[in-house]
């Protein structure tokens, strides 16, 4: 059996979250499991600031989802910013809400709850003046500056639906998302900064919006760089926001009105815009943020994800602010100016809860313990990880070196679709095992299915599904409910299919084994094999392309591309040309790690590419390819195996 790490006494002492003992967890799990609707209705009424409190919990369910989405708290009326800001003004007006650390160490800005409230009101007024109203879509394409969070909250205050696009995405990806959600206004900044380098956000926005009918682009000046400016369309943030009124009455919204759209990758080339709604999402992020991390009043909470991903939405903005916490926003990278940056911040800001991704942990572990030990980390209590499976070695390094064995690790499994944590340790109570996400939160009912779609009882490994809706679950795909139904409920009757595989051990602990669909997880960034393939197929040098993942020491997974060249094409420096193409079509985070030119792809007689074979070869295991007799041309396999790129080091 794997090692079991009991929660250190110092972590459980003084616990103040909703679940402080294992017994309380079991009781909550029992109640939430036997009456989910009533359990979450009570939580929602107690936890959120309502204009009209709801009287109903869940309506509908997975059995009705094909007809219309299920709903939570449907007759309630609220505005999320009143839970995140207004109600804190009395008790926490002077408390730091956002603690921002810029790209250069020590470049710090703080906004108290009162200041953040004022900025959000001003920005809401300015956006209203630009014509933004309830239900309108606003795309936010910014770096990690407080104004990105302010922009999100200002949209929420107006009832406008924000869609944040990660600042690493290319013009083409940005354009696709603007078009898909029908945005009227885009908010961006002159430039972002990361690791001493500028990120040309405004220039990319200009390229993305060429020829599109966009009412207005609101531009925040951050670095002061010269940027293009279209006076008909563009508006400087500093020319409108500071002059706008500093009070704004939040627009009351129905519980099930969309709060935001966030695009994520699936198994087709077209990203899907997952829709999260107002009350259910806010309850889930608020409750999980307090429960999992045992968030306390004097905590300094640091989630170093990017606001462009769901982790940034849920655990930089909505979850911490709904709890009145101090939340850190970090503009730089873990390696800038050196591998001690995170721990330097922990020391300077007295961070107590630190939340990052396995990729960053592995990259830092490769630099050894000195950059960590150089800094005082005695304030740390809880260390979180998210985004991909964490291997036991990285887990132990995080636990032993970063946490000096004093802190507990919360390995939180969840997804863009789930809104917040699903399977995770609860900091003060759950004994941990390196590499296991441990136990489901109350009300979360995981089901494992074997290869014949039978439910596995007790220990076993299979495809991970969830049996019952929870409040934070995405309700639909923007503009394409059929795709939502097909992707998540089209596989197994009345179960939500996560796309992940998992193992359950004899203690009932879950070990996520990774995606079982065509989704890649590169450094915790979720991308589809189909997105890569459609980018590669756009090259006139490429006749066919197939992309599969392989295990990568630091990034978790690397990208392996098999390319069939067009006759007459030259393979000299092909990889860098194709990487430039991926960058242009997808974004800066999309690159191929290994490239193999093949005479053909292994296809069945009906023309389906047998990815299983490609994966095995990419993983360096060409011995067990399984049955290849159904291939149209088995000889291509020989050539593929003979020319395989060594990915082992
Ligand atoms: C993976 C990120 C193992 C998983 C919040 C999931 C994890 C995908 C973990 C969602 C974890 C996330 N252990 N795997 N603790 N957390 N994943 O939508 O494959 O960007 O399906 O959401 O990341 O990625 P997404």
């Amino acid at each position: 059996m794997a090692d079991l790490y009991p929660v250190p006494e110092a972590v459980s002492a003084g616990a103040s979250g909703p679940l402080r003992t294992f017994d309380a967890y079991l009781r909550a799990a029992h109640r939430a499991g036997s009456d989910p609707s009533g359990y979450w209705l009570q939580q929602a009424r107690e936890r959120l600031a309502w204009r009209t409190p709801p009287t109903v919990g869940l309506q509908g369910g997975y059995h009705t989802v094909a007809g219309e989405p299920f709903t939570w708290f449907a007759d309630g009326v609220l505005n999320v910013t009143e839970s995140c800001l207004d109600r804190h003004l009395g008790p926490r007006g002077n408390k730091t809400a956002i603690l921002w650390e810029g790209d250069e160490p020590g470049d710090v800005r703080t906004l108290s709850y009162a200041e953040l409230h004022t900025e959000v009101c001003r920005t809401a007024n300015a956006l209203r003046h630009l014509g933004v109203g309830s239900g309108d879509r606003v795309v936010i394409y910014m770096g990690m500056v407080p104004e990105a969070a302010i922009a999100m909250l200002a949209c929420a205050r107006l009832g406008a639906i924000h869609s944040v696009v990660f600042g690493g995405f290319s013009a083409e990806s940005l354009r696709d998302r603007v078009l898909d959600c029908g945005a009227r206004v885009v908010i961006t900044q002159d430039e972002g900064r990361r690791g001493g380098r500028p990120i040309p956000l405004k220039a990319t926005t200009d390229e993305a919006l060429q020829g599109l009918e966009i009412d207005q682009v609101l531009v925040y000046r951050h670095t002061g760089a010269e940027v293009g400016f279209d006076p008909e369309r563009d508006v400087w943030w500093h020319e409108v926001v500071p002059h706008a009124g500093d009070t704004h009455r939040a627009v009351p919204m129905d519980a099930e009105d969309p709060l935001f759209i966030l695009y994520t990758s699936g198994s087709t080339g077209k990203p899907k815009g997952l829709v999260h709604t107002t009350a259910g999402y806010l309850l889930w992020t608020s409750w999980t943020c307090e429960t999992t991390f045992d968030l306390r009043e004097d905590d300094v909470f640091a989630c170093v994800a990017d606001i462009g991903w769901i982790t940034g939405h849920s655990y930089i903005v909505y979850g911490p602010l709904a709890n009145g916490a101090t939340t850190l926003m970090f503009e730089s990278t873990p390696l800038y100016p050196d591998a001690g940056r995170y721990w330097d911040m922990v020391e300077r800001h007295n961070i107590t809860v630190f939340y990052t991704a396995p990729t960053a942990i592995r990259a830092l572990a490769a630099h050894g313990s000195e950059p960590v030990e150089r800094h005082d980390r005695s304030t740390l209590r809880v260390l979180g990880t998210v985004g991909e499976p964490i291997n036991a070695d990285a887990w132990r390094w995080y636990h032993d070196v970063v946490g000096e064995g004093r802190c507990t690790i919360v390995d939180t499994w969840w997804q863009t679709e789930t809104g917040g944590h699903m399977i995770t340790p609860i900091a003060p109570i759950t004994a941990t095992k390196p590499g296991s996400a441990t136990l489901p939160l109350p009300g979360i009912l995981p089901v494992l299915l074997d290869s014949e779609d039978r439910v596995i009882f007790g220990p076993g490994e299979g495809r991970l599904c969830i049996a019952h809706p929870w409040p934070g679950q995405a309700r639909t795909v923007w503009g394409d409910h059929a795709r939502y139904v097909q992707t998540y409920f089209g596989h197994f009757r009345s179960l939500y299919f996560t796309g992940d595989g998992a193992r359950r051990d004899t203690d009932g602990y879950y070990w996520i084994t990774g995606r079982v669909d065509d989704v890649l997880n590169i450094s915790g960034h979720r991308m589809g094999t189909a997105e890569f393939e459609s980018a590669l197929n756009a090259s006139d040098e490429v006749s066919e392309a197939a992309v599969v993942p392989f295990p990568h020491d630091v990034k978790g997974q690397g990208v392996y591309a098999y390319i069939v060249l067009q006759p007459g094409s030259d393979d000299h420096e092909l990889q860098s040309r194709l990487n430039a193409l991926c960058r242009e079509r997808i974004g800066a985070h999309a690159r191929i790690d290994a490239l193999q030119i093949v005479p053909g792809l292994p296809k069945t007689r009906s023309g389906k590419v047998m990815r299983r074979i490609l994966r095995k070869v990419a993983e360096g295991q060409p011995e067990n390819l399984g049955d290849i007799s159904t291939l149209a041309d088995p000889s291509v396999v020989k050539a593929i195996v003979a020319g395989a790129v060594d990915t082992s080091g």
Side-chain angles (χ1 to χ4, degrees):
M1 206 189 77
D3 319 335
L4 190 68
Y5 288 67
V7 178
E9 185 44 46
V11 172
S12 45
S16 70
L19 302 174
R20 301 171 205 172
T21 62
F22 202 73
D23 226 39
Y25 163 73
L26 292 176
R27 277 198 307 274
H30 177 73
R31 285 183 50 211
S34 43
D35 177 19
S37 179
Y39 185 79
W40 295 119
L41 177 61
Q42 186 191 342
Q43 295 291 331
R45 289 174 62 105
E46 288 171 2
R47 188 166 266 280
L48 306 181
W50 295 93
R51 294 282 181 91
T52 310
T55 63
V56 292
L58 175 67
Q59 292 179 304
Y62 294 165
H63 57 295
T64 62
V65 79
E68 52 187 66
F70 51 85
T71 62
W72 285 92
F73 323 126
D75 61 351
V77 177
L78 76 169
N79 186 290
V80 299
T81 64
E82 295 187 329
S83 288
C84 292
L85 300 171
D86 301 59
R87 66 166 160 178
H88 303 311
L89 292 179
R92 305 184 178 97
N94 294 324
K95 177 175 175 176
T96 298
I98 294 181
L99 169 55
W100 177 80
E101 164 119 353
D103 197 35
E104 295 304 324
D107 181 9
V108 173
R109 260 176 78 191
T110 59
L111 284 130
S112 68
Y113 271 94
E115 288 164 335
L116 181 61
H117 177 262
T118 303
E119 288 309 312
V120 169
C121 287
R122 286 198 179 119
T123 309
N125 283 322
L127 286 173
R128 183 81 205 98
H129 195 71
L130 297 181
V132 175
S134 170
D136 288 340
R137 274 81 61 203
V138 174
V139 162
I140 300 175
Y141 183 66
M142 299 180 83
M144 291 295 290
V145 291
E147 281 66 22
I150 292 169
M152 291 164 75
L153 292 163
C155 287
R157 192 128 183 125
L158 292 168
I161 304 168
H162 62 69
S163 185
V164 182
V165 176
F166 170 59
F169 276 115
S170 67
E172 209 170 308
S173 294
L174 175 59
R175 182 185 178 88
D176 288 347
R177 287 157 176 76
V178 168
L179 281 170
D180 189 82
C181 74
R184 304 184 44 185
V185 168
V186 175
I187 308 179
T188 188
Q189 63 192 66
D190 51 0
E191 288 181 329
R193 293 183 311 189
R194 259 191 120 232
R197 278 201 287 268
I199 301 165
L201 294 168
K202 175 64 163 67
T204 306
T205 303
D206 289 343
E207 193 187 332
L209 300 186
Q210 247 170 47
L212 298 191
E213 299 246 328
I214 286 288
D215 293 357
Q216 230 97 55
V217 176
L218 183 60
V219 190
Y220 174 68
R221 179 179 279 165
H222 182 50
T223 64
E226 280 283 322
V227 291
F229 198 84
D230 171 357
E232 299 280 296
R233 185 198 66 184
D234 298 347
V235 180
W236 282 113
W237 179 293
H238 62 258
E239 287 180 1
V240 292
V241 173
H243 310 296
D246 56 10
T247 57
H248 177 273
R249 185 140 170 79
V251 176
M253 303 301 292
D254 286 343
E256 282 291 325
D257 282 335
L259 176 62
F260 65 85
I261 303 169
L262 187 59
Y263 286 86
T264 190
S265 298
S267 37
T268 74
K270 187 176 173 315
K272 45 185 185 269
L274 287 158
V275 177
H276 279 287
T277 57
T278 301
Y281 173 80
L282 187 65
L283 174 67
W284 201 247
T285 52
S286 155
W287 181 82
T288 54
C289 194
E290 190 183 4
T291 303
T292 301
F293 300 109
D294 180 32
L295 196 59
R296 303 180 188 182
E297 187 62 49
D298 49 3
D299 270 338
V300 177
F301 181 83
C303 167
V304 289
D306 193 282
I307 216 161
W309 309 116
I310 191 70
T311 307
H313 284 58
S314 301
Y315 299 107
I316 296 175
V317 182
Y318 291 108
L321 296 179
N323 283 295
T326 296
T327 180
L328 180 105
M329 265 185 98
F330 179 46
E331 191 183 29
S332 194
T333 83
L335 297 172
Y336 185 76
D338 61 46
R341 183 64 186 274
Y342 281 163
W343 327 119
D344 170 38
M345 285 201 295
V346 167
E347 178 172 10
R348 278 187 288 112
H349 300 306
N350 299 316
I351 290 167
T352 53
V353 182
F354 185 79
Y355 194 26
T356 188
T359 293
I361 299 167
R362 288 190 293 261
L364 293 172
H367 290 262
S369 55
E370 189 280 327
V372 188
E373 284 161 0
R374 217 191 298 150
H375 299 284
D376 179 3
R377 293 146 358 263
S378 56
T379 50
L380 287 173
R381 184 181 79 249
V382 180
L383 299 172
T385 137
V386 58
E388 35 170 339
I390 181 163
N391 47 308
D393 284 350
W395 193 101
R396 289 206 183 85
W397 187 82
Y398 202 26
H399 180 271
D400 298 348
V401 177
V402 176
E404 302 173 283
R406 289 181 296 101
C407 303
T408 200
I409 307 269
V410 290
D411 174 0
T412 62
W413 174 81
W414 59 293
Q415 311 178 293
T416 304
E417 291 85 345
T418 72
H421 303 156
M422 298 289 283
I423 301 180
T424 175
I426 295 173
I429 64 183
T430 314
T432 53
K433 300 181 187 184
S436 170
T438 75
L439 298 169
L441 287 171
I444 300 306
L445 309 174
V447 171
L448 297 181
L449 296 179
D450 70 12
S451 55
E452 266 125 59
D453 299 353
R454 286 176 309 216
V455 175
I456 300 170
F457 291 92
E461 181 169 339
R463 284 160 295 171
L464 175 63
C465 296
I466 310 289
H468 191 274
W470 63 97
Q473 185 166 19
R475 302 290 194 267
T476 188
V477 167
W478 181 260
D480 197 352
H481 190 62
R483 185 169 175 200
Y484 169 83
V485 173
Q486 174 50 35
T487 307
Y488 304 111
F489 303 95
H491 299 259
F492 315 110
R493 219 183 132 83
S494 276
L495 290 175
Y496 163 71
F497 176 46
T498 65
D500 278 318
R503 180 165 68 80
R504 187 168 48 222
D505 70 16
T506 47
D507 293 325
Y509 274 40
Y510 287 84
W511 303 71
I512 307 297
T513 52
R515 300 292 303 198
V516 294
D517 56 7
D518 293 329
V519 170
L520 303 166
N521 196 329
I522 314 296
S523 300
H525 293 159
R526 184 167 157 183
M527 286 181 274
T529 54
E531 278 174 273
F532 272 98
E533 288 162 8
S534 76
L536 296 170
N537 279 318
S539 157
D540 12 315
E541 300 179 275
V542 171
S543 154
E544 280 187 284
V547 164
V548 294
F550 66 90
H552 189 286
D553 280 352
V554 174
K555 305 204 290 185
Q557 290 188 329
V559 177
Y560 194 117
Y562 294 90
I563 302 288
V564 182
L565 282 180
Q566 285 287 4
S569 298
D570 175 6
D571 62 2
H572 180 66
E573 306 214 328
L574 180 66
Q575 186 162 343
S576 59
R577 283 197 299 285
L578 293 182
N579 269 333
L581 189 65
C582 291
R583 192 188 177 89
E584 181 191 316
R585 312 257 326 183
I586 307 171
H589 55 303
R591 51 192 323 275
I592 299 164
D593 301 287
L595 179 130
Q596 183 183 354
I597 297 181
V598 292
L601 296 174
K603 288 186 188 164
T604 61
R605 288 187 196 95
S606 59
K608 192 167 156 4
V609 175
M610 287 184 78
R611 294 180 167 275
R612 175 173 54 84
I613 295 175
L614 298 176
R615 280 182 87 134
K616 285 284 177 206
V617 173
E619 287 164 7
Q621 299 180 336
E623 315 78 42
N624 40 23
L625 294 182
D627 180 16
I628 58 168
S629 62
T630 58
L631 286 177
D633 175 9
S635 76
V636 295
V637 173
K638 230 188 226 152
I640 289 174
V641 171
V645 179
D646 181 7
T647 56
S648 61

